[in-house]
Structures are given as structure tokens and as C-alpha cells.
Amino acid sequence: MKIVITGTTGQIGRHLTPLLDIEENEITLITRDASKLQNEAAKGAKVLEGDMLDEAFMIQALSGAEVYFFLPPPNFASSDMIEEYKALATVSKEAALENKVQRIVHLSTLGAQLDLEETGLIRGQHFAEKIIREAAPHVVHLRNGFFLENYLPSAESITGAGQVYLPVSSEARYPFVATK
């Protein structure tokens, strides 16, 4: 099976790739910096360096793909991240349609199912969901609460303080997941 994955050098994609059997599947990793994926390339993954906003690049990247793991990377330098999420989803949709991709797994976020301005940047994922759901016959949106891997850079301070800090009431239930 040919699987294309984006977000391959971040906290989530970096932990997803080793879970896939590179010997049994043809794995293509999309990145902005191929030097960060030398180990994966040495193990047999195909690494493509490019811009997810470049439609020609994405059409080439999804060529022959059966499954597309769409993790739109946040660009905190963007002047309008909501519009950037829309653009990323639109380019991915067009590339998936061009290549007749059958399955898309979209890593979205909790709250993206709501169409509320009050959700801030989460609204970008709301629009991305609406766009990408038209890109393939089988699309699933994963609306995680919070990935435990996102705490890895804070492990030392969490251990020292003995507490995990979140901008959520301690009374609220909040789902945590791990990539594995």
C-alpha cells in the first residue's frame, strides 16, 4: 500500500512513521527539510522536500497514493493562519482528486466540528475539514484533545514542578492521546 504522510518532522508525524511497516508499505514522507528525515530514508521511506502549498508538488507527491495522512502544519509566522489552513486543504484536495486517492486521514483538532468564530485558530481546521472531506471517498477527521508528545519538550519542567499546566479548568475533562 502506498501511504503519503505530511507533518513528518513534528511531534506527531515523527512518532507516526516508525509505527508503519516500511517493508510492507511504500511510505512517502513530505517535508520542508529532507535533512531531518535521513534515518527514515535510510530505512526505505521515500522523502520528498517541498511546499504543501505548491499544487504541482503535491500532485506529484500523491501520485499513486492509496492513503494520505494530512496533517496541515501550523505556520505561526503566517499573517492569517485560518486562510493558510484553507489553502493547505484546497491544494491537498485538488492533488488527492487528481490522483484518485481513496483514503484520507486528516489530523484535525477538538472543536473543529464547530463553526464558531470564538474557536480562534481552531476555526482554520473547521474549514480544512469541510474542504478535505470532498477529496476522497473515505475521509476521517481525527479530533484529538491533546497529544502527549507535545509535552515532551516540557518534560523536565513538568517533572520538577510535579504538575502539568493547561489553560483548562482542572474540573474539565480533557482527552489526551498518544500517537502510538
Side-chain angles (χ1 to χ4, degrees):
M1 178 179 308
K2 182 171 180 183
I3 303 168
V4 177
I5 304 170
T6 64
T8 53
T9 59
Q11 293 294 338
I12 310 311
R14 179 174 49 143
H15 294 284
L16 172 64
T17 304
L19 299 174
L20 301 171
D21 188 343
I22 292 177
E23 293 176 9
E24 292 288 321
N25 299 290
E26 183 182 339
I27 308 296
T28 300
L29 307 174
I30 297 174
T31 183
R32 290 175 280 204
D33 184 355
S35 70
K36 294 181 178 180
L37 295 172
Q38 292 176 357
N39 289 339
E40 290 79 359
K43 292 176 184 173
K46 181 178 179 181
V47 176
L48 297 178
E49 184 176 276
D51 184 350
M52 287 179 63
L53 290 170
D54 179 344
E55 190 171 331
F57 168 74
M58 289 302 295
I59 288 171
Q60 175 204 3
L62 291 177
S63 177
E66 297 166 71
V67 178
Y68 175 36
F69 182 78
F70 174 56
L71 189 166
N75 177 4
F76 298 110
S78 173
S79 61
D80 190 340
M81 283 180 56
I82 291 174
E83 287 302 316
E84 188 154 330
Y85 277 128
K86 288 179 184 178
L88 287 163
T90 299
V91 169
S92 283
K93 172 188 164 186
E94 295 305 320
L97 288 170
E98 176 77 21
N99 286 290
K100 297 178 176 52
V101 174
Q102 292 299 298
R103 291 178 172 75
I104 297 176
V105 176
H106 170 213
L107 183 59
S108 186
T109 190
L110 192 64
Q113 70 276 17
L114 306 172
D115 186 9
L116 301 172
E117 287 187 36
E118 298 84 32
T119 58
L121 295 179
I122 291 172
R123 195 151 193 242
Q125 287 283 16
H126 167 77
F127 292 120
E129 283 190 14
K130 288 177 73 171
I131 294 165
I132 206 72
R133 80 170 51 116
E134 299 172 3
H138 307 283
V139 178
V140 63
H141 305 288
L142 300 179
R143 296 188 189 117
N144 58 295
F146 194 82
F147 277 98
L148 292 170
E149 288 86 355
N150 286 330
Y151 272 125
L152 292 176
S154 304
E156 188 175 322
S157 63
I158 291 169
T159 302
Q163 295 185 22
V164 175
Y165 298 99
L166 267 179
V168 176
S169 166
S170 62
E171 302 299 317
R173 293 180 153 257
Y174 197 77
F176 280 60
V177 297
T179 302
K180 192 172 185 178

